[in-house]
Amino acid sequence: MLKILKYSFYDLIRSRWSYVYFLFYLILGFVLLFLNNDVSKAVITLMNVIIVLIPLIGTIFGVMYYYNSREFTELLLAQPINRTSIFMGQYLGVAGSLTMSLVLGLGIPFLLYGLLRSDAIFDFSLLLVTGSFLTFIFVGLSFVIAISNENKIKGFGYAVLLWLFLAVVYDGLFLMSLIVFEEYPLDTFSLVATMLNPIDLSRILILLKLDISALLGYTGAIFKKFFGTDIGFLVSMAILVCWTGLPLLVLGYKAKRKDF
């Protein structure tokens, strides 16, 4: 698996799209710091961008890499190599390269601006951690979708629909349910519904860390009461870990039973 991981990682690092992805975050970091002239404000702006962008890029990259490396994967499957090792190595290579581009692209401008001397270093670190989690989660989900669909068009379509649902539609359904059932106690429902969407969970964690949960109104008080505590933070991290591991379990299951 390590050899496949190394090959996939270096293959993607040499890809021009990895450079584009890295340069995008590098330029974005410098531009935000130049315009805001404040690390904390730049972190807030970054949150609004990467919470939506990272899942989309991770989904598209994962599907593209799976379909483009299909012939190479079939060649590896003809060798005495464990199937799970092949797909796990490719998954880690894609997710690792995207995460490295994210961390370096945003880390360089903020470090040059004096992040280590700023009080926002922990907020920025949480932003990178949640961004890394979202990368691994959505690359894993994209691999599951791709391995489940032979047709490339269907694979891309389902992947984009998944991102659209979790990034946009889910929030609309969530708000509608809060309005419809406003006469009932919705504390537990709000917490559970947030945990069922990694994008929403990551957004809430960053908002609470930035201490601007008052913008969320009544639900902000609920989230702060739970997620604002140390136990709530640990539970949230555990849920993100579960979100990362669940697609891998499904991927391993499908890889062992799929007829290539």
Side-chain angles (χ1 to χ4, degrees):
M1 185 177 75
L2 291 177
K3 290 184 178 179
I4 299 172
L5 166 60
K6 185 184 297 184
Y7 171 81
S8 301
F9 182 80
Y10 287 131
D11 182 43
L12 283 164
I13 288 298
R14 293 194 298 267
S15 171
R16 67 176 181 273
W17 292 111
S18 295
Y19 292 111
V20 171
Y21 191 57
F22 165 74
L23 289 174
F24 169 78
Y25 282 119
L26 186 70
I27 296 172
L28 179 64
F30 278 118
V31 169
L32 289 178
L33 289 171
F34 175 77
L35 294 176
N36 289 303
N37 200 31
D38 185 276
V39 176
S40 298
K41 293 180 181 178
V43 170
I44 297 174
T45 307
L46 272 177
M47 179 202 70
N48 295 322
V49 175
I50 71 172
I51 286 296
V52 176
L53 184 63
I54 286 179
L56 177 62
I57 298 298
T59 302
I60 293 178
F61 260 76
V63 174
M64 285 178 56
Y65 185 84
Y66 177 86
Y67 286 124
N68 290 338
S69 61
R70 181 67 184 270
E71 295 180 356
F72 175 68
T73 302
E74 292 177 351
L75 178 63
L76 290 177
L77 290 170
Q79 310 301 319
I81 306 175
N82 184 275
R83 285 188 172 195
T84 304
S85 299
I86 295 174
F87 290 102
M88 290 301 173
Q90 292 180 338
Y91 158 77
L92 292 173
V94 176
S97 63
L98 292 178
T99 301
M100 190 181 74
S101 297
L102 168 69
V103 173
L104 292 179
L106 292 179
I108 291 175
F110 276 81
L111 286 175
L112 292 176
Y113 193 79
L115 176 67
L116 297 179
R117 300 188 302 272
S118 173
D119 296 333
I121 182 172
F122 296 107
D123 300 338
F124 182 75
S125 300
L126 180 62
L127 186 72
L128 292 184
V129 170
T130 54
S132 301
F133 268 118
L134 289 176
T135 300
F136 277 87
I137 291 170
F138 280 87
V139 170
L141 291 174
S142 67
F143 265 69
V144 171
I145 292 173
I147 200 174
S148 302
N149 295 275
E150 296 288 340
N151 190 299
K152 291 184 179 181
I153 297 177
K154 284 187 176 180
F156 273 103
Y158 290 144
V160 173
L161 283 176
L162 175 66
W163 169 81
L164 187 64
F165 175 77
L166 293 176
V168 181
V169 178
Y170 188 91
D171 289 340
L173 295 175
F174 180 40
L175 290 175
M176 287 176 60
S177 62
L178 291 178
I179 294 173
V180 172
F181 300 103
E182 61 180 350
E183 297 180 357
Y184 300 91
L186 298 173
D187 298 17
T188 304
F189 170 77
S190 300
L191 294 174
V192 173
T194 301
M195 293 177 184
L196 292 177
N197 187 344
I199 297 179
D200 282 351
L201 181 58
S202 301
R203 182 185 293 114
I204 293 299
L205 285 176
I206 298 173
L207 286 174
L208 292 176
K209 186 65 177 176
L210 294 172
D211 200 24
I212 53 178
S213 57
L215 297 176
L216 301 175
Y218 170 70
T219 52
I222 298 174
F223 294 142
K224 188 172 183 62
K225 184 177 179 181
F226 178 75
F227 294 118
T229 63
D230 293 336
I231 296 178
F233 180 79
L234 293 176
V235 170
S236 303
M237 289 291 109
I239 293 173
L240 288 176
V241 172
C242 292
W243 263 107
T244 305
L246 183 61
L248 299 185
L249 294 177
V250 178
L251 178 63
Y253 176 82
K254 286 186 171 293
K256 290 179 181 179
R257 287 159 179 78
K258 184 176 177 61
D259 183 11
F260 292 90

